[in-house]
Amino acid sequence: MLSLNNNKNNKIGILISGRGSNMESIIKACKEGLIPAEVVIVISDKPDAAGLQKAKNYNIETAVIERNLYSSKEEFEKAIINLLQKKNVDLICLAGFMRILSPMFIRSFPLKIMNIHPALLPSFPGLHAQKQALDYGVKISGATVHFVDEGVDTGPIIMQEAVEVLDNDTEESLSQRILQKEHQIYPKAIKLFFENKLIIQGRKVKIIQ
Ligand code: GRF
């Protein structure tokens, strides 16, 4: 049994590639005091990510680290790791970051990286999870917050919330309803992390009441 109780700085780094609505829900929850931590850096691999301006509007430091400016994926990831370490983050939140991180990156921050996925894992991992759910014909989908391990969307699950799939749903309408749940559970999971209420046994995450 491993308690995740070793946060020293209460600092969060967020990685994005796009819109940044989950990023914004985390920033807001910190600013409002729901999460006892501070977002100290938002890093995007895309210079035109809309989330960058949103972060600046909250006076959060931002950085753009573009893959094509580095000779290898390893060098690119090392640049991100260096910045996160320099900012002394306790937790890295992936929020629509559209790259698979290497084992080297994951091992640099064991059980310190969270992700939000728009489906009830282990169903529909990877890209276009909402479309996968619609195409499969499931009646219930949802959102999952999990720790990131070396697989794609396979890490220990922290929190899930279900969403009904309606007969007339489109990818957009289902995505929108799932997104509302994402904005609720991602800050909640992060809050529990910083309150030291998460413990991990094998691949099971338990919440201390
Ligand atoms: C969300 O649907 C999230 O679940 C997935 O990517 C999307 C990011 O949206 N990982 P946003 O950038 O947070 O608005």
Side-chain angles (χ1 to χ4, degrees):
M1 186 162 79
L2 174 64
S3 168
L4 302 172
N5 177 1
N6 53 1
N7 318 303
K8 296 187 188 71
N9 307 300
N10 287 14
K11 291 182 178 174
I12 301 171
I14 304 182
L15 269 51
I16 63 167
S17 298
R19 180 176 58 183
S21 71
N22 278 289
M23 173 208 75
E24 190 169 16
S25 74
I26 298 165
I27 293 173
K28 270 190 191 163
C30 291
K31 297 260 184 206
E32 288 165 4
L34 176 74
I35 297 173
E38 184 193 358
V39 178
V40 293
I41 186 79
V42 169
I43 303 172
S44 173
D45 64 326
K46 300 268 183 261
D48 57 352
L52 286 168
Q53 186 55 49
K54 286 184 186 155
K56 286 178 190 155
N57 293 345
Y58 288 93
N59 292 319
I60 309 271
E61 185 179 333
T62 62
V64 176
I65 299 182
E66 287 182 81
R67 167 67 184 89
N68 61 13
L69 297 183
Y70 294 85
S71 56
S72 65
K73 176 170 176 166
E74 190 178 351
E75 291 305 313
F76 163 70
E77 288 191 344
K78 277 185 181 163
I80 300 177
I81 291 169
N82 287 342
L83 181 51
L84 291 167
Q85 286 176 340
K86 194 175 126 208
K87 302 303 291 183
N88 280 319
V89 302
D90 299 296
L91 181 70
I92 297 155
C93 296
L94 308 184
F97 184 66
M98 300 303 287
R99 287 182 183 275
I100 312 263
L101 294 166
S102 74
M104 183 273 293
F105 190 105
I106 309 295
R107 285 175 204 158
S108 302
F109 304 99
L111 292 172
K112 299 282 182 204
I113 310 172
M114 282 187 194
N115 183 41
I116 179 94
H117 183 74
L120 293 177
L121 291 170
S123 293
F124 314 126
L127 292 175
H128 309 298
Q130 304 94 332
K131 182 170 188 307
Q132 290 185 56
L134 278 177
D135 289 349
Y136 196 95
V138 291
K139 303 296 185 191
I140 293 177
S141 192
T144 303
V145 183
H146 63 94
F147 284 113
V148 176
D149 68 5
E150 293 178 22
V152 176
D153 300 325
T154 53
I157 290 172
I158 303 164
M159 199 170 274
Q160 295 186 298
E161 191 77 48
V163 169
E164 196 179 349
V165 180
L166 306 175
D167 286 344
N168 59 357
D169 259 331
T170 60
E171 190 180 347
E172 290 67 35
S173 65
L174 180 60
S175 300
Q176 193 49 44
R177 288 206 312 291
I178 291 175
L179 193 63
Q180 288 171 12
K181 298 290 188 191
E182 294 181 35
H183 296 164
Q184 292 167 10
I185 64 172
Y186 210 176
K188 273 190 198 166
I190 297 166
K191 171 182 162 72
L192 290 169
F193 178 88
F194 281 102
E195 289 175 344
N196 300 313
K197 287 187 176 163
L198 298 180
I199 52 170
I200 185 150
Q201 292 176 303
R203 61 160 293 118
K204 289 185 191 159
V205 178
K206 305 227 161 132
I207 297 171
I208 302 169
Q209 297 303 325

